[in-house]
């Protein structure tokens, strides 16, 4: 129980209507997508940088955990409160503060949703190209704090590559602005890159200035079917070697094709060992010439089964197979539902075919329905495991399966997380992945947050 | 236990939060809208889960979350896990009613419906009187007669004077088309929709269902026409479950019935004049819940002089007007917020009339138009049957 005095001080910082200690409310804030849970003692919803700072000051004074939270779409327990404390829900701060498109940048509050920003940019023919699969709900704060990315990461990079400035609320409640309006800036240590991906463990980011790009005028989608996984892997590498930079290359392994076929037959998907979807952007001539070049790459590999369109409706239809994977996973097996574990490995490109085969092997070993797909362009694979949630045996098998998936990724020089982060769920891998460097990270954490109040139990 | 029945739905939820994107009650963009996680579909699912597992009490936030849902089904439309959130919301409301923890305003509403057989606590004798006015002779001539076709008026249109034009025009249309039709008059009882949505007990609902179905069957009716999607959905989807058997008649919304007439060329629609373009608002219970999107548009397009445009968010994606799900019975403010959001949608399209096909939406859209008209916009709201009546020369 938090003392009444703390509640009063927090109320003074955010206003009584923006604080809750209601039991059901706290319970609801105790979840994200992962199975890590943790009910906070208090939830606050600040509306300004000053209110954020006011809350953190109160928490610093009383040494209470502070858990920043965006949309809670994270898959690692990052936004929940396993040790109690104060969840700072930043979704009230959802204003786009400035569109400075002549300088290729916008200023936003942390609760702005990625899609909200892109909808606002679209009429001006601009975009924020960091588009995770969760763009309809994920917030700028959550995306930058997780250094999120998505299927266009190969071409456009990750969230950290677009931050020009941020206002940090440090663990003692002090407000530290950083960055400038220039598109390049190497003055001193790059605190933006330190905070991006720090998952709220170093402070709260309460305002951002981010780079935006002109929206490509057209888009084409090329779909190709493969009868063996090696050729699919080779097709990606050979595409790059031919000098082509698609905005995305996605893979749907046989399990994904089967399930989409069942769920959305109108998508017209064929069942093969794998399907690749290449997304190409630029002016129409460029898109078409790139598609032709990929065609030559595929010809050389004797892959004839393919389709291409740059017509917006037809391209969308081709892409719809990929968009349907999430929902299709729900119909894989009656009573089996998706869990987010072992879901985010990233491996070197040359290891993709072997990894896909390993995933199949593990799926069969544990007999858990698993749909395999991912951003092959950059080596990110998302095995979607489904279980009977009321069956303890399924949970146990799933945990073992996830551990084997992680072990495999590490054994081939990859990572247990390409996008979704560490949080609580993958913390055990930090020391394994970063012998030595983990200690350096801990020292940075201790220096900035000596009382360990910022998102304790996450990463560290 | 009601929540046990939806455990499988709760298990489907991956807590991805995608449903936050289109839920009107969590849309924190609109000034004044709550924004707390309990006002999101995922939050409501979690509250239900907490109640099912007995780890939370029905606190104020739990009630606020569960009873402010508009039943608009945007969440169901969005959910990649195919979880039927609204089934869970209704089950959780039922759980609270059964446990005696539901809000007083809701329990009172259930009592009113069960006692008065209508949602307003008014005298059943007034079911026809309050709306029939100039057409009372025509209505009297049809009430209680044996006929193949029945028009089920519904409580809203029967008792709320401002909606009287809907049943008046519907009856005039049926008369003009030469239909042999009937009405239940004071024997019509509440269909049970507000009770079902707010977690009312099955026994009470079953009584209402039996009263309506038996009386309709006695009149030899083969088809029932509705102007209220709430009644329509409950008849089609809930009655068969409650009664354990299919209905001895078919059900159609007025638009479905009229679209058939248009296809078979049994209706002669004359040109009408409207002050400008019209936009059609899809009622949630008719669109997302019952899948009726095309017929209302087909009818409007068949009327010469109607220039139909679409909302940016339309059909499966149409924004709720804020009058659904019994939310207004619990907290009128959430409906008012949503009416303001709907006003922005209306302001975005270049239309002078908003046409809807639901008496509850009529009131929600009226509120939204009120917001715009206060700024000098000049937008009117009409029910689809009012427009059709004009095209049939009915004054
Ligand atoms: C269906 C689905 C698809 C997804 N697809 C992708 C994908 O393609 N790529 C990808 O990278 N991820 C993806 N994710 C994971 C997730 O959406 C991202 O990690 C996203 O960045 C989280 O944003 P959020 O607003 O929900 O943050 P939350 O989940 O609320 O928080 C995430 C972390 O950020 C911290 N945080 C939040 N806001 C702030 C702030 N202002 N300052 C400091 N710390 C903060 C939190 O404490 C927490 O540690 C997906 C998730 C789902 C459910
Ligand atoms: S209801 Fe569906 S969309 Fe909402 S959180 Fe659950 S799985 Fe995601
Ligand atoms: S039915 Fe509508 S209001 Fe209710 S939870 Fe779903 S989206 Fe929100």
């Amino acid at each position: 129980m938090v003392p009444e005095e703390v509640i009063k001080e927090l109320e003074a910082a955010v206003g009584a209507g923006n604080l809750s200690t209601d039991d059901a409310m706290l319970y609801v804030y105790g979840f994200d997508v992962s199975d890590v849970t943790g009910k906070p003692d208090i939830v606050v919803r600040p509306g300004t940088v000053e209110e954020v700072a006011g809350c953190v000051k109160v928490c610093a004074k009383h040494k209470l955990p502070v858990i920043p939270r965006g949309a809670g779409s994270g898959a690692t327990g990052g936004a929940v409160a396993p040790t109690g404390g104060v969840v700072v829900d930043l979704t009230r701060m959802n204003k786009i503060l400035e569109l400075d498109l002549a300088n290729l940048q916008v200023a936003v509050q942390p609760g702005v949703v990625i899609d909200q920003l892109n909808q606002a940019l679209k009429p001006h023919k601009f975009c924020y190209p960091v588009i995770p699969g969760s763009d309809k709900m994920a917030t700028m704060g959550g995306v930058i704090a997780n250094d999120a990315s998505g299927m266009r990461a190969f071409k456009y990079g990750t969230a950290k590559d677009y931050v020009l400035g941020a206002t940090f609320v440090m663990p003692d409640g002090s407000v530290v602005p950083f960055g400038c309006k220039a598109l390049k800036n190497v003055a001193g240590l790059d605190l933006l890159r330190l905070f991006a991906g720090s998952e709220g463990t170093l402070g709260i980011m309460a305002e951002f200035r981010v780079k935006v790009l002109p929206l490509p005028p057209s888009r084409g989608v090329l779909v190709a079917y493969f009868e063996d996984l090696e050729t699919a892997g080779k097709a990606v590498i050979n595409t790059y070697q031919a000098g082509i930079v698609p905005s995305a290359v996605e893979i749907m392994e046989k399990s994904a094709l089967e399930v989409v076929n069942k769920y959305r037959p109108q998508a017209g998907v064929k069942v093969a060992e794998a399907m690749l979807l290449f997304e190409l952007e630029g002016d129409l001539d460029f898109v078409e010439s790139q598609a032709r070049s990929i065609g030559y790459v595929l010809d050389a590999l004797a892959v004839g089964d393919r389709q291409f369109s740059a017509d917006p409706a037809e391209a969308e239809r081709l892409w719809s197979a990929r968009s349907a994977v999430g929902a299709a996973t729900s119909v894989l097996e009656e009573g089996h539902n998706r869990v987010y574990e072992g879901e985010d490995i990233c491996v070197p490109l040359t290891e993709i075919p072997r990894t896909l085969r390993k995933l199949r092997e593990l799926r069969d070993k544990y007999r858990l329905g698993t749909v395999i797909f991912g951003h092959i362009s950059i080596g990110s694979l998302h095995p979607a495991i489904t279980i009977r949630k009321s069956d303890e045996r399924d949970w146990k098998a799933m945990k073992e399966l996830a551990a084997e998936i992680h072990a495999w990724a590490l054994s081939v020089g990859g990572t247990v997380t390409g996008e979704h982060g560490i949080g609580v769920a993958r913390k055990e891998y930090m020391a394994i992945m970063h012998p030595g460097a983990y200690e350096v990270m801990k020292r940075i954490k201790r220096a900035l947050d000596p009382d360990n109040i910022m998102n304790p139990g996450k990463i560290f | 236990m009601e929540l046990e029945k939806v455990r499988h739905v709760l298990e489907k939820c991956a807590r991805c939060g995608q449903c936050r994107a289109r839920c009107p009650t969590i849309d924190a963009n609109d000034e004044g809208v709550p924004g707390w996680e309990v006002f999101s579909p995922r939050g409501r699912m979690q509250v239900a889960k907490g109640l099912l597992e007995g780890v939370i009490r029905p606190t104020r936030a739990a009630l606020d979350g569960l009873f402010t849902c508009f039943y608009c089904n945007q969440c169901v439309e969005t959910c990649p896990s195919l979880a039927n959130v609204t089934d869970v919301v209704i089950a959780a409301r039922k759980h609270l009613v059964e446990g005696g923890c539901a809000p007083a305003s809701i329990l009172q509403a259930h009592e009113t419906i069960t006692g008065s057989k209508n949602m307003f606590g008014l005298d059943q004798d007034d079911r026809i009187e309050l709306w029939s006015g100039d057409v009372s002779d025509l209505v009297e001539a049809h009430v209680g007669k044996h006929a193949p076709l029945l028009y089920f008026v519904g409580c809203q249109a029967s008792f709320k004077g401002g909606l009287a034009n809907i049943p008046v025009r519907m009856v005039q249309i049926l008369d003009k088309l030469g239909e042999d039709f009937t009405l239940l008059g004071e024997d019509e009882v509440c269909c049970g929709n507000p009770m079902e949505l707010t977690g009312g007990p099955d026994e009470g609902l079953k009584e209402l269902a039996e009263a309506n179905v038996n009386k309709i069957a006695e009149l030899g009716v083969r088809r029932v026409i509705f102007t209220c999607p709430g009644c329509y959905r409950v008849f089609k989807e809930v009655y068969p479950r409650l009664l354990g058997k299919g209905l001895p008649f078919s059900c159609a919304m007025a638009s479905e019935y009229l679209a058939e007439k248009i296809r078979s060329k049994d209706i002669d629609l004359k040109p009408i004049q409207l002050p400008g373009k019209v936009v059609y608002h899809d009622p949630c219970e008719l669109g997302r819940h019952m899948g009726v999107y095309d017929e209302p548009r087909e009818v409007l397009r068949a009327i010469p002089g109607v220039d139909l445009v679409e909302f940016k968010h339309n059909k499966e994606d149409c924004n709720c007007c804020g009058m659904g799900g019994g939310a207004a019975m619990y907290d009128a403010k959430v409906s008012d917020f949503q009416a303001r959001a709907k006003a922005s949608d209306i302001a975005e399209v270049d239309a002078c009339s908003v046409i809807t096909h639901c008496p509850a939406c009529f009131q929600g859209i009226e509120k939204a138009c009120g917001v715009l008209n206060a700024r000098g916009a000049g937008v009117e709201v009409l029910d689809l049957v009012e427009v059709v009546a004009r095209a049939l020369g009915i004054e």
Side-chain angles (χ1 to χ4, degrees):
Chain A
M1 272 295 283
V2 172
E4 194 58 30
E5 173 202 356
V6 176
I7 296 173
K8 289 244 152 57
E9 287 175 30
L10 284 169
E11 268 179 1
V14 283
N18 296 310
L19 175 146
S20 179
T21 52
D22 182 293
D23 190 46
M25 183 75 85
L26 300 176
Y27 174 76
V28 160
Y29 276 90
F31 298 89
D32 67 358
V33 181
S34 73
D35 286 299
V36 180
T37 60
K39 192 165 139 186
D41 299 300
I42 301 173
V43 181
V44 289
R45 301 189 71 236
T48 62
V49 176
E50 292 69 36
E51 288 183 6
V52 174
C55 291
V56 177
K57 272 194 185 120
V58 175
C59 294
K61 178 175 154 197
H62 298 279
K63 298 199 179 3
L64 274 175
V66 180
I67 301 97
R69 183 175 170 108
S73 74
T76 66
V80 306
T83 53
V86 180
V87 161
V88 182
D89 172 351
L90 293 148
T91 57
R92 216 178 119 216
M93 296 173 69
N94 64 347
K95 305 276 177 307
I96 298 171
L97 302 170
E98 185 194 358
L99 295 184
D100 181 2
L101 301 178
N103 281 313
L104 295 175
Q105 57 196 268
V106 298
V108 293
Q109 290 187 314
V112 166
V113 171
I114 307 304
D115 188 54
Q116 177 193 348
L117 176 59
N118 273 320
Q119 291 303 328
L121 289 169
K122 203 170 167 188
H124 305 279
K125 299 198 164 50
F126 273 84
C127 69
Y128 175 66
V130 183
I131 305 180
S134 50
D135 71 318
K136 300 282 187 295
M137 61 278 195
T139 62
M140 291 298 293
V143 160
I144 294 170
N146 260 22
D147 190 17
S149 51
M151 55 194 170
R152 298 192 175 90
F154 171 71
K155 180 168 180 185
Y156 293 111
T158 67
K160 67 177 179 313
D161 302 323
Y162 291 83
V163 202
L164 301 172
T167 301
F168 304 125
V169 174
M170 303 302 288
D172 61 358
S174 58
V175 177
V176 179
F178 184 84
C180 66
K181 290 187 80 171
L183 295 174
K184 282 202 299 189
N185 176 16
V186 291
L189 297 187
D190 191 347
L191 295 187
L192 293 172
R193 288 195 167 232
L194 177 64
F195 271 70
S198 66
E199 301 186 15
T201 58
L202 302 181
I204 297 183
M205 291 178 280
E207 235 167 70
F208 299 103
R209 182 165 287 284
V210 294
K211 189 166 72 178
V212 294
L213 297 180
L215 193 64
S218 46
R219 169 183 186 239
V221 174
L222 190 152
V223 161
Y225 290 92
F226 295 83
E227 281 319 323
D228 71 287
L229 298 172
E230 268 70 25
T231 314
K234 258 192 217 137
V236 178
I237 295 166
N238 292 3
T239 297
Y240 298 157
Q241 284 174 349
I244 306 156
V245 182
S247 46
V249 191
E250 293 290 290
I251 181 161
M252 290 170 65
E253 187 263 357
K254 192 174 183 183
S255 55
L257 296 172
E258 278 171 351
V259 80
V260 166
N261 221 358
K262 180 170 160 194
Y263 172 69
R264 189 175 286 168
Q266 65 272 31
V269 162
K270 296 177 204 163
V271 175
E273 286 301 291
M275 175 169 104
L276 294 188
L277 298 100
F278 295 83
E279 186 193 60
L280 305 160
E281 288 176 343
D283 66 43
L284 192 57
D285 288 348
F286 183 61
V287 166
E288 286 176 346
S289 89
Q290 284 199 320
R292 269 193 304 278
S293 304
I294 296 176
Y296 303 142
V297 169
L298 295 174
D299 284 344
L301 292 168
V303 177
D305 196 353
R306 58 191 196 236
Q307 269 174 284
F308 166 74
S309 181
D311 168 68
E314 182 55 14
E316 197 46 50
R317 192 193 66 75
L318 290 175
W319 199 262
S320 69
R322 173 63 184 87
S323 316
V325 176
T329 305
S330 318
V331 300
L332 182 63
E333 232 175 304
E334 183 63 30
H336 288 62
N337 297 298
R338 183 170 181 189
V339 284
Y340 284 74
E341 289 209 33
E343 85 295 355
D344 189 35
I345 55 168
C346 191
V347 297
L349 297 183
T350 49
E351 293 294 347
I352 286 174
R354 271 202 322 145
T355 303
L356 289 170
R357 244 196 312 280
K358 182 71 182 178
L359 290 172
R360 285 179 177 181
E361 188 189 308
L362 290 173
R363 173 187 57 197
D364 296 343
K365 175 176 167 190
Y366 288 97
R367 295 164 188 251
L368 290 177
T370 305
V371 175
I372 303 165
F373 60 98
H375 319 314
I376 193 172
S377 55
I378 203 150
S380 260
L381 292 173
H382 293 314
I385 307 175
T386 65
I387 63 167
R388 288 164 297 194
K389 286 192 179 168
S390 45
D391 191 325
E392 281 306 316
R393 286 164 308 179
D394 277 16
W395 280 103
K396 187 169 170 288
M398 181 276 291
K399 295 273 177 200
E400 287 171 20
L401 168 57
E404 284 215 47
I405 292 173
H406 288 152
W408 169 265
L410 295 180
S411 74
V412 296
T415 169
V416 295
T417 176
E419 312 179 330
H420 297 174
I422 291 290
V424 179
R426 284 182 270 261
K427 202 166 73 169
E428 66 197 90
Y429 294 100
M430 285 301 288
I432 303 169
M433 285 194 68
H434 306 294
Y438 189 32
E439 195 41 53
V440 177
M441 293 185 208
K442 282 182 181 166
R443 268 190 259 156
I444 294 172
K445 164 77 175 168
R446 274 197 296 272
L448 295 180
D449 182 19
D451 292 323
N452 189 24
I453 64 162
M454 284 309 310
N455 222 357
K458 322 293 165 68
I459 303 181
F460 302 103
Chain B
M1 185 180 165
E2 286 307 317
L3 281 170
E4 196 54 59
K5 292 185 199 157
V6 291
R7 188 186 280 278
H8 66 287
V9 186
L10 289 167
E11 285 179 354
K12 277 184 178 218
C13 174
R15 295 189 299 274
C16 68
Q18 195 150 318
C19 48
R20 288 173 60 97
R22 295 293 291 130
C23 173
T25 60
I26 187 77
D27 177 4
N29 290 322
D30 200 18
E31 208 55 49
V33 166
W36 296 90
E37 178 73 28
V38 284
F39 294 101
S40 75
R42 177 179 63 179
R44 293 182 171 112
M45 295 282 272
Q46 289 305 111
V47 168
K49 182 167 171 276
L51 291 170
L52 170 64
E53 288 170 0
V55 293
I56 54 167
R57 289 170 293 111
T59 61
R60 175 68 199 269
L63 296 187
D64 282 354
L66 290 171
F67 283 94
T68 52
C69 165
F70 294 135
Y71 196 64
C72 72
N73 247 26
Q74 281 276 19
C75 45
V76 177
E77 204 64 52
T78 323
C79 176
S81 304
L82 314 179
N84 197 317
V85 180
T86 40
D87 279 357
V88 170
V89 169
I90 301 303
R93 289 175 174 185
K94 231 170 170 174
H95 166 87
L96 294 173
V97 169
E98 275 173 8
C101 315
S105 59
I106 300 297
L107 296 174
Q108 178 60 51
H110 295 169
E111 239 174 70
T112 304
I113 296 171
T114 327
S116 317
K117 308 293 176 220
N118 64 71
M119 61 187 288
F120 300 106
L122 292 169
D123 199 330
Q124 280 288 95
D125 293 350
D126 291 338
R127 263 210 182 255
I128 294 291
E129 288 223 10
L130 282 177
W131 61 268
S132 57
D134 291 348
V135 293
S136 55
D137 289 347
L138 173 64
V139 173
E140 289 303 334
H142 287 271
V143 166
K145 71 180 253 204
H146 267 70
L149 198 70
L150 178 134
Y151 169 42
F152 190 90
V153 184
C155 295
Q156 296 266 8
S158 298
F159 291 106
K160 279 206 156 173
L163 301 168
N165 222 19
I166 300 175
V168 166
R169 295 310 186 208
M170 189 65 224
V171 166
Q172 288 175 313
I173 292 171
L174 292 173
D175 182 49
K176 180 101 183 183
L177 296 178
E179 292 289 2
D180 182 10
F181 73 99
T182 179
L183 299 106
L184 290 179
E186 57 199 52
D187 286 335
E188 181 179 308
V189 300
C190 172
C191 68
N193 176 291
M195 224 161 115
E196 190 243 350
L197 289 179
T198 53
D202 270 0
E203 310 81 71
L205 278 169
K206 195 171 169 197
E207 239 174 68
L208 298 170
E210 274 167 351
N212 279 326
V213 172
N214 292 344
K215 193 69 204 173
I216 295 171
E218 266 173 39
L219 299 178
V221 171
R222 291 198 298 275
R223 190 177 209 198
V224 179
I225 308 285
F226 299 86
T227 46
C228 172
C231 304
Y232 172 68
R233 183 186 63 79
V234 164
F235 264 71
K236 260 188 114 159
E237 301 231 304
V238 183
Y239 281 9
R241 174 180 65 77
L242 285 171
L243 303 175
K245 57 178 185 204
L247 301 179
F249 45 79
S250 66
C251 300
M253 271 307 277
S255 55
E256 294 177 297
Y257 159 79
L258 289 165
E260 283 168 19
K261 293 278 169 200
I262 290 165
R263 285 175 220 145
S264 60
K265 303 201 172 25
D266 287 327
I267 190 168
D268 183 17
L269 297 166
K270 298 270 188 295
I272 61 167
Q273 273 200 330
L274 289 165
K277 293 180 183 160
V278 308
V279 62
Y280 175 70
H281 162 79
D282 290 279
C284 304
E285 284 198 62
L286 187 58
R288 279 183 291 268
H289 281 277
M290 299 302 290
V292 178
Y293 297 109
D294 296 338
E295 287 82 355
R297 290 175 169 79
E298 193 179 336
V299 171
L300 290 171
R301 286 205 188 94
I303 302 174
V306 169
D307 187 358
L308 184 65
V309 292
E310 293 284 347
F311 282 122
K312 180 174 152 213
H313 296 287
N314 70 349
K315 298 190 176 175
E316 289 85 352
D317 196 29
C318 185
N319 282 325
C320 174
C321 69
M323 291 300 286
M329 283 156 73
Y330 177 67
D331 182 357
K333 279 199 310 296
V334 287
S335 285
D336 294 345
F337 289 147
Q338 188 52 22
R340 261 183 268 156
K342 193 72 203 183
S344 316
D345 278 14
I346 299 171
E348 259 179 27
V349 285
D350 170 30
C352 292
S353 317
V354 184
I355 317 280
T356 188
H357 193 20
C358 166
C361 293
F362 191 99
Q363 297 164 74
I365 301 287
E366 212 169 30
K367 263 197 255 176
C369 291
V371 172
L372 295 176
N373 292 342
R375 296 182 219 143
V379 195
E380 63 168 350
V381 51
L382 291 167
D383 190 274
L384 181 124
V385 295
E386 293 182 276
V387 186
V388 173
R390 283 194 209 175
L392 286 171
I394 296 167
E395 290 305 328

